Amino acid sequence: MSIYKEIIKSGIIFRRPIRVFSNIFSVFISGPKAGKPFILKFENSTLCNLKCQMCPLNNGLNRKTGVLSFEKFKKIYDEINPPYLNLTGIGEPLLNPDIFKIIKYGRAKGSLVKIDTNGTLLTDENIKKLIHSEPTFVSVSIDSVDKKTYEKIRKGAKFEMVIENFKKLIQYRNQINSKTKIHLFFVLQEENILELPEFIKFGDESGVDSINGTVVISMGKNKNEKNRKINLEKISKVKRELKELKKNVAVNMNLESIESFLDNPEKIEKEKPCFWPWYQAAITWDGYVTPCCIFCDNEIVFGNVFEESFMKIWNNKKSQEFRKQLVKKRTGICKSCGVDEGFIYDKLKILYKIPLINRMSFRK
């Protein structure tokens, strides 16, 4: 939910009201067809210099690896013109030679732009290029402030170097008075759960704008079953510490997914509502439109945007059938996904209770 708060604060909903309300309508109706998406998750790379233990890239991913070129990005971006562009993916964006050009273009066209990096390639030169490309958000994934734990999770990375890079990024951002917001990201799993409190303290002292996090999830063939099996005593301990810690830190924290897990680690996410396919699109670096980024190995593909128009794919028969199924219940990969958009349902609940309006919706 954290990014939605940031989107609202940015004021873009007032600059792009038609897109906002058309997406809200699509979400409420939850019909087979959807309007042009508000969010575009465009994979910028599947190349990476690390072998993180929880990443599908190192756990049997079958599809091709590569990077998104600026020319191909521009073609699709101009067709969708998203208010919010998330240059996400399972690779490291700073390995894409066109990444700064891509960010600049999206920002020049008025989009909020976010990238996620592992921080290993934040050299002095790359920090300057990145900050001057003016991304709205830069999220640095670190996962632990303990050297041993960090290097076990983020295989191939050097702890001291990444921490130094992270500090330099904040320092340079502050030095030139850039408006880019820097986030620190934590993927909670068996290896690092006890270190979450120290991680938060580090983030609070670092000058970062926000500490965000999620629980490790299943993606593609990588079920992350070992990483998700966390001792209940550890969970109880961290839950208590987190409750106290929140009273004493000033930094903004968006840890809803983690807190929900700590409250009820056994809960079944498959019964939780998901609205993603109605307001955000996921496209791989080579053009494949998938239901969302969780389908990381192209388990389901609706079409390829380099071969036919996006909107034709977005509402083709396969896309519509997927939405119909998701309204009924989660199946397949969706059953093991941790996405819970109950907060959206709660906002719309009053509309669903009005008989005449409720009839308009496919979500009963």
Side-chain angles (χ1 to χ4, degrees):
M1 185 177 178
S2 59
I3 197 62
Y4 303 100
K5 294 178 182 176
E6 297 283 0
I7 289 173
I8 292 170
K9 289 179 183 178
S10 74
I12 200 167
I13 60 174
F14 301 108
R15 300 195 298 274
R16 305 286 292 276
I18 295 177
R19 183 72 70 90
V20 170
F21 287 110
S22 69
N23 274 237
I24 291 174
F25 184 73
S26 288
V27 165
F28 169 71
I29 296 298
S30 292
K33 291 187 176 182
K36 191 174 286 188
F38 183 90
I39 295 175
L40 170 59
K41 290 189 173 183
F42 212 154
E43 183 178 66
N44 68 85
S45 173
T46 50
L47 302 180
C48 194
N49 57 335
L50 301 184
K51 295 184 179 297
C52 302
Q53 67 176 16
M54 66 286 190
C55 180
L57 190 60
N58 305 299
N59 290 278
L61 194 77
N62 290 319
R63 65 184 173 96
K64 294 180 180 179
T65 56
V67 297
L68 174 66
S69 70
F70 174 74
E71 289 72 22
K72 288 187 174 181
F73 161 78
K74 182 177 179 300
K75 176 182 181 295
I76 307 308
Y77 176 93
D78 288 345
E79 183 180 350
I80 301 174
N81 190 21
Y84 177 69
L85 172 66
N86 188 352
L87 294 168
T88 185
I90 56 175
E92 168 53 44
L94 296 181
L95 287 172
N96 184 338
D98 286 347
I99 190 63
F100 306 119
K101 195 174 180 180
I102 288 171
I103 295 170
K104 284 182 180 179
Y105 189 82
R107 292 294 290 136
K109 291 292 184 177
S111 291
L112 304 178
V113 179
K114 177 178 180 286
I115 74 160
D116 304 86
T117 175
N118 60 37
T120 58
L121 301 178
L122 287 172
T123 61
D124 291 348
E125 181 182 0
N126 278 342
I127 286 173
K128 290 180 180 179
K129 287 181 178 179
L130 178 58
I131 295 300
H132 286 288
S133 65
E134 300 182 333
T136 315
F137 312 107
V138 175
S139 179
V140 185
S141 298
I142 295 183
D143 300 334
S144 175
V145 288
D146 176 81
K147 175 180 170 63
K148 184 178 179 180
T149 303
Y150 171 80
E151 293 184 355
K152 186 174 182 180
I153 293 174
R154 299 268 167 181
K155 296 176 182 178
K158 299 298 180 184
F159 176 73
E160 294 87 355
M161 182 186 72
V162 170
I163 295 298
E164 183 65 21
N165 290 350
F166 174 68
K167 290 179 178 178
K168 285 183 177 180
L169 177 67
I170 295 176
Q171 182 181 30
Y172 188 73
R173 185 276 307 268
N174 295 345
Q175 179 184 324
I176 68 167
N177 295 316
S178 168
K179 294 182 179 179
T180 295
K181 293 188 176 182
I182 299 173
H183 296 172
L184 189 58
F185 200 80
F186 186 91
V187 180
L188 184 138
Q189 51 202 286
E190 168 63 22
E191 298 287 352
N192 65 4
I193 182 171
L194 292 178
E195 296 162 23
L196 178 59
E198 286 303 315
F199 182 87
I200 292 172
K201 292 176 185 176
F202 167 77
D204 187 45
E205 296 168 359
S206 71
V208 75
D209 295 286
S210 180
I211 298 175
N212 302 338
T214 188
V215 179
V216 67
I217 60 174
S218 300
M219 292 185 72
K221 292 182 178 180
N222 188 24
K223 302 304 179 185
N224 273 313
E225 293 175 354
K226 179 181 177 182
N227 296 323
R228 284 185 67 93
K229 288 183 179 179
I230 303 175
N231 183 284
L232 291 178
E233 289 184 7
K234 289 183 179 180
I235 292 173
S236 296
K237 183 176 185 295
V238 171
K239 183 179 177 181
R240 290 193 304 271
E241 292 180 3
L242 184 58
K243 183 178 180 180
E244 290 301 313
L245 188 58
K246 289 173 70 175
K247 301 175 184 177
N248 302 310
V249 296
V251 68
N252 182 48
M253 290 192 291
N254 296 298
L255 304 173
E256 295 98 337
S257 173
I258 289 177
E259 292 182 275
S260 177
F261 173 79
L262 295 177
D263 285 338
N264 188 357
E266 304 298 328
K267 77 175 180 178
I268 302 174
E269 298 289 3
K270 65 182 179 181
E271 303 302 329
K272 302 298 182 180
C274 175
F275 296 95
W276 277 11
W278 285 270
Y279 71 95
Q280 60 177 285
I283 305 177
T284 65
W285 70 274
D286 47 354
Y288 291 101
V289 179
T290 64
C292 76
C293 56
I294 305 300
F295 290 77
C296 65
D297 210 6
N298 287 1
E299 292 85 356
I300 294 179
V301 169
F302 299 144
N304 191 295
V305 290
F306 301 143
E307 297 172 2
E308 55 185 329
S309 74
F310 169 77
M311 286 307 295
K312 184 177 180 180
I313 296 170
W314 185 236
N315 281 319
N316 65 17
K317 183 177 179 180
K318 199 168 183 180
S319 297
Q320 291 188 48
E321 289 301 320
F322 182 87
R323 293 189 186 104
K324 288 178 183 178
Q325 177 58 58
L326 188 57
V327 167
K328 294 177 183 177
K329 68 176 182 177
R330 296 193 185 202
T331 60
I333 289 176
C334 293
K335 289 174 66 175
S336 60
C337 172
V339 170
D340 174 6
E341 293 198 302
F343 66 94
I344 292 180
Y345 185 83
D346 289 342
K347 297 291 184 184
L348 298 173
K349 192 179 294 183
I350 188 171
L351 296 177
Y352 289 114
K353 289 182 178 180
I354 301 173
L356 289 176
I357 298 180
N358 180 263
R359 291 177 187 174
M360 300 171 62
S361 178
F362 287 76
R363 194 179 293 268
K364 307 300 180 184

